[in-house]
Amino acid sequence: MTTTAGPSLRCAPAEDTLRALVEVSGDGLAVLDATGRFAMVNEAATQVLGLPAADLIGRAAPFAPGPEPDGPAARRTVAWSAPDGRRCDLEYRIRPVDDGGFAVWFSDVTEARRQQERLAAITRAASRVAGSCSLHATLDAVAHEIVLTANIAAVQILAVDDPADDLRVLGMAGFGEAPDFIERLGDCRGRGALVMFLEAIRTRRPVVVRHRKPVIMADPRWEPLHEIMGRPDWDDFVSLPLIVRDRIVGVINTYYYPGEDPCSNSLAFLEAMADHAAVAIDTASLLSQTRSQAQEQERRRLARELHDSAVQQLFSMRMQAKALRAGLDRAGADPAAVCRAAEEIAQLSESALADLRRLVFELRPLDLGARSLLDAVRAHAAGVETRTGIAVRVRVSCDLAPDTGIDLQEDVYRIVREALHNVVKHARATSAEIRLARSAAGGLLLEVSDDGCGPGAPPGPAAASQIKLGLVSMRERAERWGGRLAAGPRPSGGWRVTVTLPSA
């Protein structure tokens, strides 16, 4: 052990052996006096604490003196900040000794704890990517996980469609409120500022720049961002490209605390988080494409509906009107025939008006911000019942989770609407039922059933095609959220569409 200066001590052979073992130990060993100050330290302790023995002797130790309990709680942890700015977590055990002081064994567990925290953060980020419906919420959460886990001061996650164009901030942590960050960055780029993350995009490799903050804060070309970049306490800069399916979709910029080394372990953690962020961006893009395809299919369906119902009926009305006029032009027109023709025109116009009203109702945007999904389902069911005479019952035995996204709610509503549309057009039913409940796995269960003949009853080719497209549309909406759709006849007669969603 290393001690303060004093007379040389002669040790018995056993004491010499013990002293040698203490000195070669890979863990920090120290003796504290009764006031909790260092009295002796071995060489490993000086390396762990980052100070020579001469600076440690007489210095207050970070370890809490006192009797140590037995069992797992005997191991304690404490944070230690070395004079060189390095911060670490020390795990220690402390025991009293005969002279009133304490013996302490300790080791640096910083990296081990960080690895555990990083693994937990990666798991949480993966869960966010798999379960969240909001890209911004997901990537904000990923950014905060990085800040909390990796001893990084600040993080930005940017989407890159074209590096020459403006970027989009999808996630940010550590900078506080910075809604105009992209505008200010554009000003800096216009002044000729050297933007290092563009190099990460160009080379498709991580870029590490040591002591980047002083350079930025001293460069007048970065002046529009000085106020934002000056908020966090950072020094080194690391940028990683977000790559998915061999395509760059964005970049993660990380700003390290002074004294924190962007070592290989830290970069490996950031690369794992970058993979999750890239998957989230790519998934959101695919969902957007799927939604666009669904909208295109919806437009085509409405066009078919107009052609097969209102357009055909209006064409028939036009032909009947011409026949009526021709009959009136002839001498000795039959009043009864004229009345029949007029009555048929009235019936056709009433049917066409009903179909047009239904289509207009379906075209109205769904305002789920002003009313709940359940209110929207009940209102649609009441409208169908009023227009068609089919009794529609709504049974609800669960509440939606408070954080259920608007997009998910709208897809559930559209599935209900499509299922009821098939009932009205093809089932020849007198009643239908909509049921919302919890599934056995805790997700959302939606059932739409009727007492009609079901799509299996000899429809014509056009009707069969519409039924198939309707089922495809409903299935795609369910699968968009990881759900499943099943449709088929009920044992008691009629038809049933069942949708299960993992969570709602």
Side-chain angles (χ1 to χ4, degrees):
M1 302 282 283
T2 304
T3 67
T4 52
S8 174
L9 297 177
R10 297 181 60 83
C11 300
E15 293 176 340
D16 289 339
T17 300
L18 181 60
R19 184 182 294 275
L21 288 173
V22 167
E23 290 297 338
V24 300
S25 171
D27 294 321
L29 298 172
V31 174
L32 313 184
D33 62 22
T35 64
R37 297 178 179 276
F38 287 108
M40 295 180 180
V41 292
N42 70 343
E43 181 62 28
T46 64
Q47 295 176 3
V48 170
L49 299 176
L51 288 172
D55 291 342
L56 288 172
I57 301 302
R59 185 188 184 102
F63 314 109
E68 184 180 68
D70 293 328
R75 295 177 183 269
R76 308 175 187 175
T77 57
V78 65
W80 168 260
S81 296
D84 61 2
R86 180 174 56 88
R87 293 175 293 182
C88 57
D89 295 318
L90 305 179
E91 185 178 77
Y92 71 96
R93 299 185 69 175
I94 185 167
R95 291 292 176 92
V97 293
D98 293 340
D99 62 358
F102 301 89
V104 184
W105 164 90
F106 59 95
S107 61
D108 185 350
V109 295
T110 306
E111 194 56 38
R113 293 187 68 181
R114 286 188 182 178
Q115 289 285 29
Q116 294 175 352
E117 292 172 353
R118 288 166 182 166
L119 288 173
I122 290 170
T123 302
R124 289 192 296 269
S127 176
R128 286 277 187 176
V129 171
S132 178
C133 301
S134 168
L135 179 62
H136 282 278
T138 297
L139 296 186
D140 266 340
V142 171
H144 281 86
E145 291 288 355
I146 295 173
V147 166
L148 292 174
T149 305
N151 285 333
I152 288 174
V155 172
Q156 297 158 340
I157 302 178
L158 308 178
V160 179
D161 297 321
D162 182 347
D165 298 331
D166 285 340
L167 308 168
R168 291 179 290 135
V169 175
L170 296 182
M172 184 178 289
F175 288 101
E177 293 296 326
D180 57 346
F181 175 84
I182 290 298
E183 290 76 7
R184 296 191 184 203
L185 177 61
D187 290 343
C188 295
R189 293 175 69 180
R191 296 181 179 203
L194 180 61
V195 182
M196 296 304 301
F197 69 75
L198 295 179
E199 185 68 10
I201 295 172
R202 186 185 67 81
T203 63
R204 304 169 70 93
R205 298 176 61 85
V207 169
V208 179
V209 185
R210 305 302 300 268
H211 313 301
R212 179 63 171 158
K213 184 176 182 179
V215 174
I216 286 179
M217 300 306 289
D219 189 341
R221 293 173 296 182
W222 283 98
E223 190 276 331
L225 272 175
H226 280 171
E227 189 268 332
I228 293 176
M229 302 298 283
R231 293 175 194 167
D233 182 20
W234 66 282
D235 185 27
D236 295 342
F237 171 78
V238 174
S239 180
L240 291 89
L242 306 181
I243 303 175
V244 62
R245 294 188 291 137
D246 201 36
R247 181 171 63 92
I248 293 182
V249 296
V251 65
I252 286 185
N253 296 329
T254 56
Y255 303 81
Y256 279 71
Y257 281 115
E260 290 292 335
D261 180 18
C263 60
S264 59
N265 287 336
S266 177
L267 291 181
F269 166 69
L270 290 178
E271 286 173 351
M273 300 298 275
D275 288 342
H276 289 306
V279 168
I281 294 172
D282 189 54
T283 300
S285 175
L286 293 174
L287 286 175
S288 177
Q289 294 175 20
T290 302
R291 184 168 293 277
S292 297
Q293 293 171 358
Q295 290 171 347
E296 179 62 27
Q297 291 176 356
E298 187 76 359
R299 285 192 290 267
R300 291 178 180 176
R301 184 186 71 81
L302 289 171
R304 287 194 304 270
E305 288 287 319
L306 281 170
H307 178 269
D308 295 341
S309 58
V311 172
Q312 295 289 347
Q313 290 163 353
L314 289 172
F315 177 78
S316 297
M317 289 169 58
R318 179 170 175 267
M319 297 303 294
Q320 288 289 346
K322 285 185 175 182
L324 178 59
R325 184 177 62 185
L328 290 174
D329 289 341
R330 291 194 303 268
D334 183 3
V338 171
C339 288
R340 286 195 301 271
E343 182 63 27
E344 187 170 349
I345 291 175
Q347 290 176 355
L348 286 170
S349 65
E350 184 177 347
S351 178
L353 181 60
D355 282 340
L356 286 173
R357 282 175 173 169
R358 175 179 58 81
L359 291 172
V360 169
F361 180 83
E362 292 181 359
L363 285 171
R364 288 187 303 177
L366 179 62
D367 186 9
L368 288 174
R371 58 177 176 171
S372 70
L373 170 64
L374 301 182
D375 288 340
V377 168
R378 290 190 177 101
H380 183 65
V384 170
E385 186 169 337
T386 300
R387 293 192 306 275
T388 66
I390 298 175
V392 183
R393 181 185 179 191
V394 179
R395 292 174 53 200
V396 178
S397 59
C398 70
D399 292 327
L400 294 178
D403 59 347
T404 302
I406 294 295
D407 289 344
L408 173 57
Q409 294 185 53
E410 180 163 349
D411 274 338
V412 171
Y413 173 80
R414 300 297 178 188
I415 291 172
V416 170
R417 197 189 71 180
E418 182 65 38
L420 278 184
H421 172 74
N422 284 343
V423 172
V424 172
K425 297 294 290 184
H426 311 296
R428 297 198 292 274
T430 60
S431 67
E433 180 179 272
I434 303 167
R435 187 167 77 92
L436 285 165
R438 284 290 168 201
S439 67
L444 182 67
L445 174 67
L446 166 66
E447 286 185 355
V448 180
S449 56
D450 63 74
D451 64 353
C453 61
S465 175
Q466 291 177 15
I467 293 168
K468 182 178 179 181
L469 286 172
L471 289 173
V472 169
S473 173
M474 289 187 286
R475 180 172 287 109
E476 287 179 348
R477 290 185 188 277
E479 291 176 349
R480 187 177 304 158
W481 306 102
R484 301 188 309 277
L485 179 140
R490 297 191 303 168
S492 58
W495 193 262
R496 176 166 53 206
V497 173
T498 302
V499 175
T500 54
L501 297 171
S503 62

